[in-house]
Amino acid sequence: MLRKEYPRPQFVREDWLNLNGEWAFEWDDQRVGVDEHWGRGESAFTRTIQVPFCYESQLSGVEDKGVHDVVWYSRTFELPQGWEGRRVVLHFGAVDYRADVYVNGELVCTHEGGHVSFSADITHALQAGANVVVVRAEDDARDIALPRGKQYWKDQSESIFYTRTTGIWQTVWLEAVQAVHLDHVKMTPDIDRNTVQLRTFVNGLPGAGATDVQLRVKVSFQGEEVAQQVSRIRKAVDNVTVQLADYNYHLSRPERWWTPEHPHLYDIQFELLVDGQVADSVASYFGMRKISVENGKLCLNNHPYYMRLVLDQGYFPEGLLTAPSDDALRRDVELTKEMGFNGARKHQKIEDPRYLYWCDRLGLLVWGEAANACDMNETYLQRMTQEWQAAVERDYNHPCIVAWVPLNESWGVPNILTDAREQHHASAMYHVTKALDPHRLVISNDGWEHMKSDLLTIHDYEWREEVLTERYSTVERAVAARPADRQLHVGGTVYQDEPILVSEFGGIAYKKSEWEGWGYSGADSDEDFLARLAAVVRPLIASPVVQGFCYTQLTDVEQEI
């Protein structure tokens, strides 16, 4: 079985069961509903598949690139000993795009959103001995108003679009909890006050006064306890502030803050006490980190910070959107840092939490980006808004994430230059993101045609050094630029001293002679590649106005070289 690692590294419980591995599998392109036999897993499945890899991938064992909008999965499981009397929760890391989940023939949940996690309490549907879980996944390959990122709606990959991912593509797993347990905890560090604000979400909380529920929090740094406190939990959503202890005399606060150069993390243990007894215990971590704009300067931990990002689309030759192993995710982070980058822009993909975990641990800034659609309608608006909010909530605690990007290059809003409705949508995505997370930067529409944004981000694939040098020599020239013949602002929005970053540039293929697909420009030799690379990097580093860049890109992806 591949992908054995714990799938939710920021909220770890001991009692869990990995359901990855071989499942029965079938596609059923004509079936629009479910009958009793399919729901119970009793129909004649003719294939098997290795979960969590989509059927289009090599690692799935199927590797069929054909379009099958409806696919079915089935497998049996038995609960581990010691789980008796507890609630059992079934988790899915991600299923693209819509999932109906059955346990022993009973529909336990339905979920839409192909890139975010979901779960269901399945206790009521379980039986003694073997249990059957069935998943029906539906993913309309041709619907361009579906948030899909780089997944192509045509039969064959071309240009900057790649093979689709249909169905389960992240870990499926079970865990056991008590009736009263933590659903999740949002952690907001404050380096200026040396505190961490906890927002607790508790499931199964009894009526007011019926039971004494408390939260015990223990915080340590490199084995040294820096805080412990017990707080009364009075409602399902509550707030707790934890003051971190004074440091040892030889340490100052900045020496424990999180940066890419020094990714310091605090360990935190949550214990939910019901009538004095531990009902739930969860291990997590956080980083004391602040991202902000101060007087027009992009700052990390109150100091100006130059971002050297690389565009990373998170595709793997063997698994497509799914990494073949946790080690592969870690190695991508290590290689990114070894090449001199201090961050990555995850492009058109809401990434596996295990990738974010390694960015937290090893020290890599991340811009979290939505998987966009290519057209806008009323259904898209509902889908996009719902999935994006779930992504921001899921990944809120990762110190590596410093910026949110709901839209890229006007994808899903192709007429934003003149269409007021599309402008409202971009503005709404900015403001709802800031409402969910006021502590990070938000870019409404990365690349050009910005509505309100915290950064002015520009996509510029100009390759002539002298042109780039002049273009980014002053703020006025940078703001007046029209790379790709696109305006940088729309809808009456104007530049208001936001930090300027070139968030896509480069795109130089290493060897033109090896091209078998699509690319921006190519080199004929090692020397030519280095010369071309220097010609686009030097002007940005030398610029008095550019405060960071994102180079395209970390790897080839299918035909994109």
Side-chain angles (χ1 to χ4, degrees), residues 185-354:
V185 179
K186 293 177 69 173
M187 296 179 281
T188 305
D190 187 334
I191 67 170
D192 301 314
R193 294 178 175 84
N194 198 31
T195 63
V196 58
Q197 179 76 31
L198 308 179
R199 188 158 174 83
T200 60
F201 297 76
V202 178
N203 287 339
L205 195 65
T211 304
D212 179 39
V213 180
Q214 296 177 314
L215 180 70
R216 181 160 60 203
V217 178
K218 301 175 183 179
V219 182
S220 62
F221 182 83
Q222 296 179 356
E224 172 194 355
E225 186 173 285
V226 296
Q228 181 175 168
Q229 70 182 57
V230 178
S231 305
R232 180 77 182 272
I233 300 297
R234 294 179 170 84
K235 50 189 177 180
V237 182
D238 216 338
N239 296 299
V240 175
T241 299
V242 177
Q243 179 72 54
L244 303 182
D246 292 335
Y247 297 102
N248 292 333
Y249 69 93
H250 62 282
L251 288 174
S252 62
R253 288 184 183 180
E255 290 178 289
R256 292 187 174 182
W257 290 347
W258 187 97
T259 67
E261 296 74 24
H262 304 286
H264 299 308
L265 294 173
Y266 287 76
D267 294 312
I268 186 167
Q269 186 77 27
F270 303 111
E271 291 182 335
L272 199 64
L273 308 176
V274 178
D275 293 333
Q277 301 299 310
V278 177
D280 196 10
S281 180
V282 179
S284 188
Y285 65 87
F286 63 90
M288 295 298 289
R289 191 269 299 127
K290 176 183 179 182
I291 188 74
S292 61
V293 174
E294 310 290 345
N295 300 317
K297 294 293 184 182
L298 177 58
C299 294
L300 181 66
N301 298 338
N302 296 326
H303 294 283
Y305 192 88
Y306 195 95
M307 290 191 180
R308 303 186 306 276
L309 313 179
V310 67
L311 193 78
D312 182 354
Q313 308 204 60
Y315 268 78
F316 297 85
E318 315 96 322
L320 302 181
L321 289 182
T322 310
S325 67
D326 194 47
D327 287 342
L329 291 170
R330 175 173 183 159
R331 191 61 182 140
D332 272 3
V333 177
E334 291 172 340
L335 288 169
T336 299
K337 289 176 65 72
E338 287 172 17
M339 285 187 274
F341 298 102
N342 58 27
R345 180 173 156 231
K346 294 304 297 192
H347 189 40
Q348 289 300 301
K349 180 187 181 185
I350 298 168
E351 190 51 277
D352 187 323
R354 294 295 309 189

Side-chain angles (χ1 to χ4, degrees), residues 35-49:
D35 61 30
E36 178 182 353
H37 297 294
W38 280 90
R40 296 191 64 86
E42 296 170 350
S43 289
F45 286 81
T46 63
R47 298 173 175 85
T48 60
I49 190 170

Side-chain angles (χ1 to χ4, degrees), residues 314-442:
Y315 268 78
F316 297 85
E318 315 96 322
L320 302 181
L321 289 182
T322 310
S325 67
D326 194 47
D327 287 342
L329 291 170
R330 175 173 183 159
R331 191 61 182 140
D332 272 3
V333 177
E334 291 172 340
L335 288 169
T336 299
K337 289 176 65 72
E338 287 172 17
M339 285 187 274
F341 298 102
N342 58 27
R345 180 173 156 231
K346 294 304 297 192
H347 189 40
Q348 289 300 301
K349 180 187 181 185
I350 298 168
E351 190 51 277
D352 187 323
R354 294 295 309 189
Y355 173 85
L356 301 174
Y357 167 79
W358 288 117
C359 292
D360 292 339
R361 288 285 174 194
L362 301 177
L364 193 71
L365 302 175
V366 174
W367 287 18
E369 184 172 315
N372 291 159
C374 289
D375 198 10
M376 176 175 164
N377 58 30
E378 289 77 4
T379 303
Y380 154 81
L381 289 171
Q382 182 178 8
R383 290 167 169 170
M384 177 66 179
T385 304
Q386 177 177 297
E387 184 168 10
W388 180 242
Q389 290 183 70
V392 173
E393 286 285 278
R394 189 198 73 176
D395 295 337
Y396 180 90
N397 289 334
H398 287 283
C400 66
I401 297 180
V402 292
W404 296 115
V405 183
L407 296 172
N408 165 75
E409 289 188 349
S410 304
W411 289 24
V413 285
N415 302 306
I416 193 172
L417 178 64
T418 57
D419 190 326
R421 188 174 70 145
E422 296 186 4
Q423 294 168 5
H424 289 315
H425 173 53
S427 292
M429 295 301 290
Y430 170 88
H431 288 292
V432 74
T433 307
K434 295 295 280 191
L436 289 168
D437 185 357
H439 307 287
R440 288 184 173 91
L441 307 176
V442 179

Side-chain angles (χ1 to χ4, degrees), residues 54-65:
C54 67
Y55 77 77
E56 294 94 340
S57 72
Q58 174 189 332
L59 287 174
S60 71
V62 180
E63 197 175 9
D64 186 305
K65 301 297 175 63

